[in-house]
Amino acid sequence: RNAHFNGLLDFGVTVECLKVYLKQRNGFMKDVLRTDECLKIYKEKRQRLGDTIAEYDLTQNPIIKKWQWWILVENEFPYDKIASKHHLLVPLMKCTEMNQLSDVGKWQLEDIKKELKNDYDSYFENTLENRTVPSQYHIHCIKYLYITPLEELS
C-alpha cells in the first residue's frame, strides 16, 4: 500500500471502497456497478450484438409509465450491485443529447422528476462517450440498495 492509500485507510475508507475507486478510475465503472450475474448477461449481449448495441432502441424495453414526451422503462442490465431499483427515463423523440429535446420535452422532464422524486434517490446520465446506447439520450433513475449497518442489527 502506498502512503496515499494508507492515509485513506486511516481515515476510515475500506479496502473494498478503494478497489471500487481504482476500477472506476481505470474505466471499469459499469463493471463495479453490476453483480457478476448481471455483468455476465450484459457482456454476452454486447458480444452478440456487437456494434449494433449502440443503436439499440430503448423504447422497446417494457414500459412502466408513459407520458406525452417520455417513457419510463425497465433496464435490462441494472446497476444491481448498488440499486434496488434501476429504470431508464427515455424521451420518445429520438435524440442523443438533452439539448436536442424540444422545450416542451425539457419542461415535461422537470415535471416527471418531481413526480417520481419519492420513487428514486438519484437521477443521472452517463456521458455520451460512456453510454452503452449513445444513439439515444436516457436518464438513469436509481433507488439505492441500502444495507443495514451491523451496529443497527445488534
Side-chain angles (χ1 to χ4, degrees), residues 65-71 90-93 104-105 108 112:
K65 187 158 186 180
K66 186 173 183 175
W67 295 269
Q68 184 176 0
W69 301 99
W70 291 85
I71 54 174
V90 182
L92 291 170
M93 176 187 154
V104 72
Q108 188 176 56
I112 292 168

Side-chain angles (χ1 to χ4, degrees), residues 46-69:
R46 282 198 73 155
Q47 186 174 18
R48 192 171 62 253
L49 293 178
D51 291 340
T52 63
I53 198 164
E55 298 297 321
Y56 186 79
D57 185 0
L58 294 170
T59 64
Q60 299 305 304
N61 287 16
I63 297 173
I64 298 165
K65 187 158 186 180
K66 186 173 183 175
W67 295 269
Q68 184 176 0
W69 301 99

Side-chain angles (χ1 to χ4, degrees), residues 28-145:
F28 299 105
M29 185 169 165
K30 291 177 186 169
D31 289 2
V32 300
L33 298 176
R34 294 184 176 103
T35 59
D36 290 342
E37 181 181 337
C38 185
L39 187 60
K40 180 180 180 224
I41 296 166
Y42 171 74
K43 286 182 175 183
E44 286 170 355
K45 183 157 189 174
R46 282 198 73 155
Q47 186 174 18
R48 192 171 62 253
L49 293 178
D51 291 340
T52 63
I53 198 164
E55 298 297 321
Y56 186 79
D57 185 0
L58 294 170
T59 64
Q60 299 305 304
N61 287 16
I63 297 173
I64 298 165
K65 187 158 186 180
K66 186 173 183 175
W67 295 269
Q68 184 176 0
W69 301 99
W70 291 85
I71 54 174
L72 184 68
V73 298
E74 294 287 345
N75 185 355
E76 191 173 355
F77 308 108
Y79 297 157
D80 59 342
K81 197 178 266 187
I82 65 159
S84 61
K85 183 167 43 172
H86 180 185
H87 298 132
L88 302 173
L89 198 51
V90 182
L92 291 170
M93 176 187 154
K94 187 88 169 179
C95 62
T96 58
E97 292 289 336
M98 185 174 174
N99 64 7
Q100 297 170 340
L101 293 169
S102 66
D103 286 341
V104 72
K106 291 175 189 173
W107 296 330
Q108 188 176 56
L109 174 60
E110 291 310 309
D111 290 341
I112 292 168
K113 285 180 176 180
K114 289 175 191 169
E115 179 183 335
L116 299 177
K117 70 180 180 185
N118 294 324
D119 297 326
Y120 301 97
D121 296 316
S122 185
Y123 303 112
F124 70 86
E125 58 185 274
N126 291 322
T127 62
L128 186 59
E129 295 77 20
N130 288 304
R131 288 187 206 149
T132 302
V133 184
S135 63
Q136 193 163 28
Y137 178 72
H138 58 282
I139 297 170
H140 295 260
C141 304
I142 301 284
K143 180 73 169 177
Y144 291 112
L145 181 64

Side-chain angles (χ1 to χ4, degrees), residues 1 5-6 8-10 12-26 28-29 31-36 81-82 147:
R1 301 184 317 196
F5 291 134
N6 281 338
L8 287 172
L9 291 171
D10 293 341
V13 176
T14 66
V15 173
E16 194 59 37
C17 285
L18 288 175
K19 287 178 184 175
V20 168
Y21 167 75
L22 289 172
K23 280 186 176 182
Q24 288 174 343
R25 208 179 84 189
N26 292 320
F28 299 105
M29 185 169 165
D31 289 2
V32 300
L33 298 176
R34 294 184 176 103
T35 59
D36 290 342
K81 197 178 266 187
I82 65 159
I147 299 171

